[in-house]
Amino acid sequence: MTVPIESSPVAVITGGARGIGLAIGQWFLAHGHRVALIDIDADTLAKTDAALNDPQHVLAVHCDVSNPQQVQAAVDQIAATFGRIDALVNNAGVAVFKPIAETSFEEWRHVLGTNLDGAFLCTQACAPVMIKSGGGSIVNIASISGLRASTLRVAYGTSKAALIHLTKQQAVELGNVGIRVNAIAPGPVETEMAKLVHSVAIRSDYYDAIPLNRYGTTDEIASVVGFLCSPAASYVNGQFLAVDGGFDSAGVGLPTLRSRAA
């Protein structure tokens, strides 16, 4: 039985114009959802919208998630267009890679404004719409940098650690009105951004610390998000899941172990 378009569920993905966010959007489209892609990069968003070429199922919304007025306007547009919101993925994120002493307060606020404030604002705006259609699911995209401290990530790592705790706060309150909230903490993922900022030395460091000895793919991240938003995860609330090839579990010694095995 085919579900009418106006009755199909709606997923909202922030940072949805490229990389992990786009892969998540494509997962939802492949599983019968209409999708709203929110992004601050208007040019890339327009290109993505044109490439998807599916105005019945895709709405591209230009928005800075750190701006309360823009967030509310974006959610109002989504609700007016699609009539409901069933899933929200807070994926929008930025990073500044500098030593603590060289990170300015403006850079600190920029990172926390997008990564933490953005998830707070988008959840606050989307939740009332979700409640009207019976609840739903929210997934916050954190990071392994929120679980384990890394060099040059004072703002990024702190924002992602805070996002994991925000997830628990949201889950406790919103669970009472039928909205489940969970987080995933991706390890390094093969994206265009990673190719730009991860040097050969950094990639080698990651391989030395990840038992699966590779980066993840955007599709692997998207499938976990999809699971958490699906009925299969209907009793999962307030949790975080590291999708990191075992990085969070690993201590020292992997290179030595591999050399012995070889």
Side-chain angles (χ1 to χ4, degrees), residues 57-68:
H57 295 91
V58 177
L59 176 66
V61 184
H62 179 233
C63 174
D64 176 355
V65 298
S66 70
N67 183 299

Side-chain angles (χ1 to χ4, degrees), residues 108 111-112 115-116 140-149 153-169 183-185 240:
W108 167 269
V111 173
L112 267 71
N115 299 2
L116 184 60
N140 295 323
I141 308 300
S143 168
I144 53 170
S145 293
L147 302 174
R148 299 180 61 177
R153 287 165 173 78
V154 61
Y156 183 77
T158 301
S159 73
K160 295 300 189 177
L163 183 58
I164 290 170
H165 190 75
L166 176 64
T167 298
K168 296 180 181 181
Q169 294 286 161
I184 67 168
F240 75 86

Side-chain angles (χ1 to χ4, degrees), residues 114-136:
T114 298
N115 299 2
L116 184 60
D117 298 352
F120 168 77
L121 292 170
C122 290
T123 299
Q124 196 174 54
C126 286
V129 184
M130 299 174 82
I131 291 169
K132 289 179 182 178
S133 54

Side-chain angles (χ1 to χ4, degrees), residues 208-251:
D208 284 349
I210 297 173
L212 291 188
N213 198 27
R214 66 175 177 86
Y215 278 39
T217 69
T218 56
D219 287 342
E220 286 174 320
I221 303 302
S223 65
V224 177
V225 172
F227 162 72
L228 288 173
C229 290
S230 75
S234 58
Y235 202 53
V236 182
N237 188 39
Q239 303 303 306
F240 75 86
L241 179 59
V243 188
D244 65 353
F247 177 87
D248 186 49
S249 300

Side-chain angles (χ1 to χ4, degrees), residues 18 191-199 203:
R18 72 179 83 191
T191 63
E192 292 304 315
M193 184 66 69
K195 292 174 183 177
L196 288 173
V197 301
H198 288 191
S199 65
R203 293 180 75 93

